[in-house]
Amino acid sequence: MYSYDPGAGHGLAHDPLKTIIGPRPIGWIGTRSAQGVRNLAPYSFFNVVNDTPPVLMFCSSGYKDSVANIEATGCFTWSLVTRDLAVAMNATSAPVPAAIDEFELAGLAARPGEVVAADCVADAAVAMECRMISVQRLHDASGRPLDGWLTLGEVVRVHIDPACLVEGGFVLPPGREPVLRGGGPAAYYAPDARVRFEMTRPQ
Ligand SMILES: Cc1cc2nc3c(=O)[nH]c(=O)nc-3n(C[C@H](O)[C@H](O)[C@H](O)COP(=O)(O)O)c2cc1C
């Protein structure tokens, strides 16, 4: 086995964990600053971690604008990245000053939240509005603080493009497959329905 202690480095060209735990869904997080500047950024340390109510989480490596805005305003949005929005999503990952509106930067129309003071990507097939539950600074197993910031938010409103509602189920149209982050410097995936398989749980 190739074995290593992550604290001492992996010794490879790219962090293998980013490929091994993947492909990962993308948290495209919309926020506003205390001054009202719109912000949008992708986070692949992201997931949904509860059923009712749904709770979204993402983790920022460093105290980034999204986290600062959520602490200032108490809310955020999530928008689904589909294949048609991949290039725009990537543009919103640019390290720009907090005063720059990243919706404008990426040429994206924004739709204000209905119940929170943050904006969704207007063309996203699905968007959710969230109220902040907590922002926690991570620490390691010996209690040493890390520069990782775990944000949890309760989903308080969900928006689905009616074109995705087919016979009572949710189906993304061709060309609008969800974009997933692979590892390495630039890998992404978009699921192909032909590789789908089904498996029922043991009773
Ligand atoms: C697909 C993708 C996934 C990313 N995932 C993360 C992540 O999980 N955590 C993180 O800190 N940065 C992540 N980044 C980098 C941030 O998007 C980038 O630092 C961005 O500028 C942060 O914006 P903000 O300061 O407006 O929050 C990711 C970038 C891309 C393109």
Side-chain angles (χ1 to χ4, degrees):
M1 301 299 276
Y2 180 82
S3 305
Y4 63 94
D5 300 332
H10 47 69
L12 301 169
H14 299 288
D15 185 352
L17 293 193
K18 296 269 181 82
T19 306
I20 294 164
I21 313 288
R24 291 180 306 284
I26 298 174
W28 208 7
I29 304 299
T31 55
R32 284 186 208 162
S33 69
Q35 292 72 35
V37 178
R38 292 181 305 198
N39 192 85
L40 184 65
Y43 288 85
S44 70
F45 287 154
F46 163 80
N47 224 309
V48 59
V49 290
N50 195 53
D51 286 314
T52 311
V55 172
L56 297 190
M57 57 75 58
F58 73 95
C59 195
S60 181
S61 303
Y63 193 83
K64 297 183 179 175
D65 295 340
S66 301
V67 182
N69 291 351
I70 291 167
E71 287 214 289
T73 62
C75 62
F76 63 95
T77 68
W78 170 84
S79 297
L80 178 65
V81 181
T82 44
R83 188 68 190 82
D84 51 305
L85 295 172
V87 170
M89 175 281 293
N90 197 33
T92 64
S93 73
V96 296
I100 301 291
D101 180 326
E102 286 160 331
F103 285 84
E104 281 180 17
L105 178 81
L108 290 163
R111 193 181 61 244
E114 291 176 359
V115 293
V116 305
D119 302 77
C120 312
V121 174
D123 290 329
V126 183
M128 300 188 195
E129 301 182 33
C130 303
R131 289 210 179 99
M132 182 185 89
I133 297 171
S134 61
V135 172
Q136 288 169 247
R137 183 171 192 174
L138 297 181
H139 55 77
D140 69 11
S142 45
R144 189 173 58 93
L146 303 174
D147 198 13
W149 302 83
L150 176 66
T151 300
L152 298 177
E154 176 185 340
V155 177
V156 291
R157 197 158 184 84
V158 179
H159 307 278
I160 302 175
D161 180 345
C164 302
L165 296 176
V166 181
E167 294 171 3
F170 176 75
V171 182
L172 283 162
R176 301 213 80 188
E177 294 79 16
V179 172
L180 307 170
R181 178 73 170 104
Y188 289 89
Y189 294 86
D192 183 334
R194 288 173 301 181
V195 295
R196 175 185 153 150
F197 68 100
E198 300 199 0
M199 191 157 59
T200 52
R201 292 188 195 181
Q203 295 305 310

